[in-house]
Amino acid sequence: MPSNQTPNYALSQWEKTDRVLLEHFHSDNAKTDAPNTAEADARAALSGQLAGKGNCSVYLTSYVGTGASGYEAPNSLTLPVVPAVVFIYGYEGTAVMMQGFGKYSVLYSTAVGGGQISWPGDGKTLSWYSGNPNSQMNMSGETYRVVALYIA
C-alpha cells in the first residue's frame, strides 16, 4: 500500500518501505485515463461545433468627410467583396448598413436624422445619403472608420 498520494488525482506515491502492488498501478492508470478521455471527448465535440464557424472575414478602411449631403451628393464606398454588414464610425455617431436577402436593406445611424441606402450593381458598392452631413456620416474633414464583415 502506498504511503502517500498526489493532491490532484490521488495517484500512488510509495516510500522505500511500502509494498508495491500491481492493483495500485491499475488504479493510477484508470485515474489518469478518465480525465484524458473526457478532455479528448470535449475537444472532439468542440471541433465538431467549430467546423461551420470561422467563416467571417473583416475588411477595414476609412474615408474623410466632405461636408456634402442629400440625394444629389450621396456617399459611395466600393468594397472588395459583397459584405453582410458595414459599420461606419465617426466622432458624432455610428452607422450600420446591412445587405438584405436579395434586397437593399437597412441604414441605421446614431447621428441625428434618417437616410437612404442602396447597393447598386454587383453589391460591392455601397451608396447612401441623408438630409445633413452629420447623419450622412460625412462631416467636413472628419475621418470615418469603416468595418465590413463578409460571410465566406
Side-chain angles (χ1 to χ4, degrees), residues 107-121:
L107 168 61
Y108 168 77
S109 176
T110 60
V112 178
Q116 298 295 318
I117 181 176
S118 64
W119 306 79

Side-chain angles (χ1 to χ4, degrees), residues 3 11 20 23 27 43-44 49 54-55 62-63 67 81 85 101 108 111 116-117 130 133 136 139 148:
S3 297
L11 301 176
V20 178
E23 297 85 41
S27 174
R43 285 179 190 235
Q49 291 173 3
N55 58 349
S62 65
Y63 67 91
V81 179
V85 64
F101 297 97
Y108 168 77
Q116 298 295 318
I117 181 176
S130 185
Q136 188 166 313
M139 296 291 288

Side-chain angles (χ1 to χ4, degrees), residues 8-9 11 27-43:
N8 294 322
Y9 291 106
L11 301 176
S27 174
D28 287 352
N29 287 340
K31 291 175 187 175
T32 58
D33 185 58
N36 289 332
T37 301
E39 182 179 347
D41 291 346
R43 285 179 190 235

Side-chain angles (χ1 to χ4, degrees), residues 74-129:
N75 284 46
S76 182
L77 182 64
T78 300
L79 303 164
V81 179
V82 177
V85 64
V86 176
F87 300 92
I88 300 176
Y89 300 95
Y91 179 76
E92 293 287 327
T94 302
V96 181
M97 303 173 189
M98 296 181 285
Q99 285 247 22
F101 297 97
K103 298 179 182 178
Y104 305 137
S105 192
V106 177
L107 168 61
Y108 168 77
S109 176
T110 60
V112 178
Q116 298 295 318
I117 181 176
S118 64
W119 306 79
D122 62 4
K124 294 179 185 178
T125 299
L126 164 65
S127 180
W128 71 98
Y129 68 89

